[in-house]
Amino acid sequence: MDTDALRELTFTDSKDQLRFITCGSVGDGKSTLIGRFLHDSKAIYEDQLQTLARDSVKHGTTGDAIDFALLVDGLEAEREQGITIDVAYRFFTTPRRSFMVADTPGHEQYTRNMATGASNAQLAVIVIDARKGVLVQTRRHSYICSLLGIRHVVVALNKMDLIDYRKEVFDRIVADYVKFASNLGFTSVAAIPISARHDDNIINRSRNTDWFHGPCLLDYLESIDIQSETAGLPFRFPVQWVNRPNMDFRGYAGTVVSGSIAVGDEIVVPASGRNSRVKQIVTYDGELVRAEAGDAVTITLADEIDIGRGDIIAKPTERPEVADQFAAHVIWMDQEDMVPGRSYGFRIGTQSSASGSITAMKYRIDVNTGAHVAARTLRLNEIGFCKIATALPATFDAYEANRRTGSFIVIDRDTNRTVGAGMIAFPLRRAANIARQPLSLGKKERTALKHQRPCIIWFTGLSGAGKSTIANLVDQKLFAMSYHTMLLDGDNLRHGPNRDLGLTESDRAENIRGAGEVAKLMVDSGLLVICSFISPYKAERDMVRDAVGDGEFIEVFVDTPIGECVRRDPKGLYAKAKSGMVKTFTGVDAPYEAPSVPEIHLTTLNQQPERLADTVLNCLAARGIIVPTNRTEN
Amino acid sequence: MSYGKLDHRNGDLPRGEHQMFRMHAQNITKPQTRTLPRRLRRLEAESIEIMREVVADFRKPVMLYSIGKDSSVMLHLAQKAFYPAKVPFSLLHVDTTWKFREMISFRDETAQRLGINLIVHVNRDGIERGINPIDSGSTLHTQVMKTDALKQALDLYGFDAAFGGARRDEEKSRAKERIFSFRSRGHVWDPCNQRPELWNLFNTRSRKGETMRVFAISNWTELDVWEYIMLEDIPVVPLYFAKKRWVVHRNGALIMVDDERLPLVSNETPELKMMRFRTLGCYPLSGAIESDAITIKDIVAEMQVATVSERQGRLIDTDEVASMEKKKREGYF
């Protein structure tokens, strides 16, 4: 096939788009390869080439020749620094197929970008320099592709011209690769000897490699069949949006991610266990009899059952997992380390506002060797295997079984940054086997007996701010008014159930998580629970807030300037922190994140604790939690 | 519809007929034998999924409607995404007051035909300052009448998500932009600090004052767009089709003399040329191409042998190196 043939497009093309990723390090010839595809398929126009030629003089590294890497490095910072930072998506079309290429940097510090590019790719082109053979980065790239679920790999052995197109070198490197990749779970591994620079076996078959009988790279990409990937899987329909234009129509809008469904089929919503039948499959272009993987449709059911965004519709015989604990591979993507125990936002399928936490780190994976390394946290670009617990049960499949229903992202609850991405390995049966014991008496009954509205009154602030003093007074006053209360104090809990915890960020998170769970049990028993904890991180306070009902978490910010706390220093801790005897002390060398909108904000400077306690009681009365009279007189 | 007509346009109806180009009458409930190639079906489904995500997770989304072919496709996709419900958001057109007259009439007729609320926003402050593409230059005009105007409108109506029709194949900084492109307060885009975007798991969260630009047709190419327009019978502005129009040669581009506001330099004489547009913007900044393509089939055929990119017709892109990235950082779409 000659270059001109690429220009003649036809509309008989019924093949799907192929989405692939190119892997390779600087110098392997990856950019030249992509540049050649784009150039020879006329995806680059003359004016873009002119710009490229201009940029090549300014930023390029190829002398007079056009530097294709500049085409790929789109951002100013990248061109200035001569490195690829981010994922770029490139498009080109041939008479037989259209392509979307995710071009990502190959360095270890950009593992997150490679994972991003791989997440939507069906195939990976792994570029290897024929002079160097299988290197550490080749292993890393292959491992990440495998982990992200890519099942088809083609090794492009580049720079064959520099080793005189020798068959034995090609055979040796391919044998090396196949041996190494045998446990990565690839369905197909192809290898092609190429020279990106001279177009050997890329667009055209090369005369220099008569010994090679396989297809050239473009032929291979045009003809590989990857259709069946989702078609044979069980039916999964994550509900995105409930379409209710009027009282007579209630449809569930979403995209069939795998399998197929027909009108009349029996379905189940695994989270609730409710069954029904498909009544209609509605589209703008008319009703369908059957919807298949990839179709965006709206489904109506024969019965009115409760379904919302985040539910998955499946067939009763092929159900996904439902669990609130699972094990997963996680890629950490943020500058700030992962904090096990901290409450994070999770997006699992269309469940976009789930919350949960990483309950245990099992190990970190050395991406270069695949070895498991002991670790307590993950840093930027690190991959690990961990246990995760979600606040509510999630519906999912193992990632290996279904990429679309087995993946999730982790979101920082304060900044909303995407901090991690994960692939579910399996549900933790611990959750399945320990069913919640149904109790005959609930919060409602227990509360009614005490004639009060239970809640958590959560004092937060620096050490020495006056939390415990005020909390104690509030407790005494409520007790005097005949309210049933309990006071949980940070120091006391650290002597008891949380005595194994230190002061690291993740131990602080676990301390608060534990305290929150205890406080929640007490709320369930109908008590007014007064808590006094430094609780420096917003994420953990919000986790406790989310654990109880609306209006049951009253955050009291005891706002005392650090200078005043140091002056008071009731426990002599600031002195110790300054002398280095106490490490990671909040306000000294560990952060305190002040609440942005606490229910009650107490400024303590020049105020008497007695008055501040009264302020708290007044606020509780205003919220209808207490009645401002003495209950014994009623 | 709630939009303010421009004073100087009142009574200034387009020359000739209202020419609405439609291959066939739009028939909402056409019996379906789906003929789309698999590739377009997949792109269509992907865009529909993105649109539904926005409507499910955002409080007040809006669709930026620029009247061009990409907007036409987006609007068509929106009708599909929410059927049988109506499109659950408004269209916003940021009017620089220098759009082609055929664009404006097409815009109004489209909104009316589909029964969609159309908001037209003009930067009044810019008008008062006399900003225009001819005297002020394209950079300042674009900054004030497009970028600033867009930010004004988003703030004024409190939209927390805005669909845009940008595609990744258009321009190299766009090739790196996310589908859900997060904007901090002040609508600023930080290209080096974008949220990673994996699978179809979009991070839709934002805090008060922060917004999202959502590019629902990111993965479409220019050819995909035209093929889809052809196969789905989507109406587009007639300026995309070749016709004899009055043009002048200016700075290597063919500029259409759309109204009397275009001052002609002494050596410029308008010529009647068979021409069309590949991309549409403010008329003094949009370069035409000589063409005989009078049907969509012709356009597609022409595109397949095109040797220059569509953005070459955009005079605003060539102002400075990395100019698109710079404009985008400042809040341009």
Side-chain angles (χ1 to χ4, degrees), chain A residues 78-340:
Chain A
E78 293 176 323
R79 286 195 298 278
E80 278 166 15
Q81 297 168 35
I83 50 161
T84 309
I85 299 170
D86 212 327
V87 192
Y89 295 96
R90 306 283 157 194
F91 301 83
F92 66 95
T93 304
T94 73
R96 293 162 71 189
R97 200 170 229 177
S98 74
F99 299 91
M100 178 169 123
V101 193
D103 182 28
T104 66
H107 292 298
E108 189 166 356
Q109 66 264 36
Y110 299 117
T111 293
R112 66 169 169 177
N113 293 338
M114 206 197 129
T116 301
S119 72
N120 283 317
Q122 300 153 305
L123 176 146
V125 177
I126 295 187
V127 182
I128 297 179
D129 185 332
R131 296 170 304 173
K132 298 176 185 162
V134 176
L135 297 178
V136 168
Q137 63 260 30
T138 315
R139 295 202 180 92
R140 176 170 72 242
H141 298 157
S142 303
Y143 177 75
I144 295 168
C145 287
S146 157
L147 186 66
L148 269 291
I150 293 175
R151 292 291 166 258
H152 302 277
V153 163
V154 53
V155 174
L157 208 64
N158 193 23
K159 307 198 179 178
M160 285 299 289
D161 53 320
L162 299 180
I163 57 150
D164 302 323
Y165 303 99
R166 291 207 306 276
K167 179 177 187 297
E168 66 274 18
V169 179
F170 175 80
D171 287 345
R172 179 173 51 75
I173 296 173
V174 172
D176 275 359
Y177 185 83
V178 168
K179 190 173 160 217
F180 144 74
S182 61
N183 57 357
L184 290 180
F186 297 134
T187 313
S188 79
V189 178
I192 301 172
I194 66 162
S195 164
R197 202 180 220 188
H198 302 292
D199 183 16
D200 287 306
N201 294 326
I202 296 179
I203 312 288
N204 300 296
R205 286 298 303 267
S206 170
R207 293 204 185 91
N208 297 315
T209 53
D210 290 336
W211 45 266
F212 177 70
H213 304 293
C216 68
L217 185 54
L218 185 63
D219 270 345
Y220 169 83
L221 294 174
E222 284 179 332
S223 54
I224 184 162
D225 178 23
I226 31 93
Q227 292 308 343
S228 41
E229 203 178 65
T230 50
L233 298 177
F235 171 69
R236 297 286 183 264
F237 185 79
V239 174
Q240 277 189 284
W241 181 69
V242 180
N243 192 345
R244 294 204 70 183
N246 55 58
M247 295 305 287
D248 302 328
F249 188 89
R250 184 184 179 88
Y252 305 102
T255 299
V256 180
V257 302
S258 59
S260 71
I261 193 81
V263 171
D265 282 357
E266 207 175 314
I267 60 96
V268 68
V269 182
S272 64
R274 304 296 296 271
N275 288 274
S276 186
R277 265 173 205 289
V278 175
K279 189 169 134 202
Q280 302 158 287
I281 302 171
V282 178
T283 79
Y284 174 87
D285 300 295
E287 287 188 23
L288 303 177
V289 177
R290 170 175 291 275
E292 289 172 357
D295 291 344
V297 297
T298 301
I299 290 176
T300 66
L301 300 176
D303 309 281
E304 280 238 350
I305 59 176
D306 187 26
I307 300 179
R309 175 167 170 82
D311 276 320
I312 289 181
I313 297 177
K315 290 183 181 171
T317 49
E318 309 168 316
R319 295 178 192 229
E321 306 284 354
V322 179
D324 60 1
Q325 290 186 59
F326 51 83
H329 288 96
V330 170
I331 303 166
W332 202 249
M333 304 191 145
D334 200 62
Q335 301 289 345
E336 278 182 32
D337 296 356
M338 167 199 280
V339 182

Side-chain angles (χ1 to χ4, degrees), chain B residues 11-20 101-102 105 109 238 243-246 256-258:
Chain B
D12 183 21
L13 286 170
R15 280 164 292 188
E17 308 274 354
H18 261 251
Q19 294 180 343
M20 296 296 300
R101 288 178 298 173
E102 282 174 272
S105 52
E109 198 177 314
K243 193 184 142 184
K244 286 203 164 166
R245 296 183 176 94
W246 290 103
M256 182 173 149
V257 187
D258 193 50

Side-chain angles (χ1 to χ4, degrees), chain A residues 38 141 222 224 251 260 310 316 336 343 347 416 464 473 582 599 620 627:
Chain A
L38 297 181
H141 298 157
E222 284 179 332
I224 184 162
S260 71
E336 278 182 32
S343 173
R347 175 170 181 159
N416 290 323
L473 285 168
V582 178
E599 276 75 7
L620 293 177
V627 183

Side-chain angles (χ1 to χ4, degrees), chain A residues 423-589:
Chain A
M423 291 137 287
I424 298 175
F426 47 81
L428 287 168
R429 289 299 165 196
R430 205 164 52 137
N433 291 337
I434 307 177
R436 285 191 183 271
Q437 188 64 39
L439 304 173
S440 321
L441 291 175
K443 179 159 133 192
K444 207 171 120 198
E445 293 77 17
R446 295 179 200 283
T447 304
L449 186 70
K450 297 188 179 70
H451 300 290
Q452 63 182 32
R453 268 184 60 192
C455 69
I456 295 175
I457 305 159
W458 188 278
F459 289 79
T460 173
L462 293 169
S463 177
K467 296 181 300 295
S468 299
T469 310
I470 304 166
N472 247 312
L473 285 168
V474 169
D475 191 26
Q476 286 170 29
K477 284 170 190 271
L478 288 172
F479 186 83
M481 292 161 80
S482 298
Y483 284 98
H484 299 265
T485 65
M486 182 62 198
L487 197 155
L488 293 174
D489 188 88
D491 287 346
N492 295 352
L493 233 66
R494 278 186 177 278
H495 284 297
N498 290 351
R499 69 175 161 216
D500 53 340
L501 298 175
L503 294 173
T504 63
E505 198 171 347
S506 85
D507 276 2
R508 284 179 190 274
E510 178 56 19
N511 183 40
I512 299 304
R513 194 196 64 79
E517 288 289 343
V518 172
K520 180 181 183 299
L521 283 174
M522 291 181 171
V523 166
D524 286 348
S525 72
L527 299 176
L528 297 177
V529 192
I530 301 154
C531 299
S532 168
F533 293 87
I534 297 175
S535 47
Y537 298 108
K538 186 173 178 301
E540 277 71 65
R541 296 193 301 263
D542 285 349
M543 174 168 66
V544 181
R545 182 187 290 274
D546 287 354
V548 292
D550 266 357
E552 288 184 347
F553 184 83
I554 312 294
E555 192 173 35
V556 185
F557 178 27
V558 184
D559 188 359
T560 309
I562 177 85
E564 175 64 11
C565 294
V566 172
R567 195 190 62 73
R568 290 181 194 164
D569 202 6
K571 300 168 200 160
L573 291 171
Y574 284 99
K576 283 187 184 171
K578 290 233 160 107
S579 69
M581 283 169 68
V582 178
K583 292 263 187 294
T584 57
F585 196 69
T586 302
V588 179
D589 55 358

